[in-house]
Amino acid sequence: MKKNTVNFTFLFKQYPGQWVALSDNEKTVFASGKTAKQALSASKKKGHKTPILYRVPSKISLSISFST
């Protein structure tokens, strides 16, 4: 089974802690805001009615778990 993964690390530097409205290619940022509602509203004003909404973490953390 193939897993689809998306690398959003390019968003961390410019949009930490914000919501972003992304295109279907998951690379183009239409708008951003402190809330999902703000990002969606700004995206709609630019003519993008159904973007992908993603909350960018405020900081990057690494978690590793092992099972025995």
Side-chain angles (χ1 to χ4, degrees), residues 1-37:
M1 178 168 32
K2 182 180 178 183
K3 292 184 180 181
N4 293 330
T5 58
V6 179
N7 183 349
F8 287 139
T9 56
F10 71 97
L11 298 171
F12 295 158
K13 187 173 184 180
Q14 191 170 356
Y15 303 101
Q18 295 184 54
W19 283 87
V20 292
L22 298 163
S23 66
D24 288 341
N25 72 11
E26 299 174 344
K27 294 179 183 174
T28 304
V29 177
F30 295 138
S32 65
K34 289 185 178 185
T35 66
K37 188 174 181 177

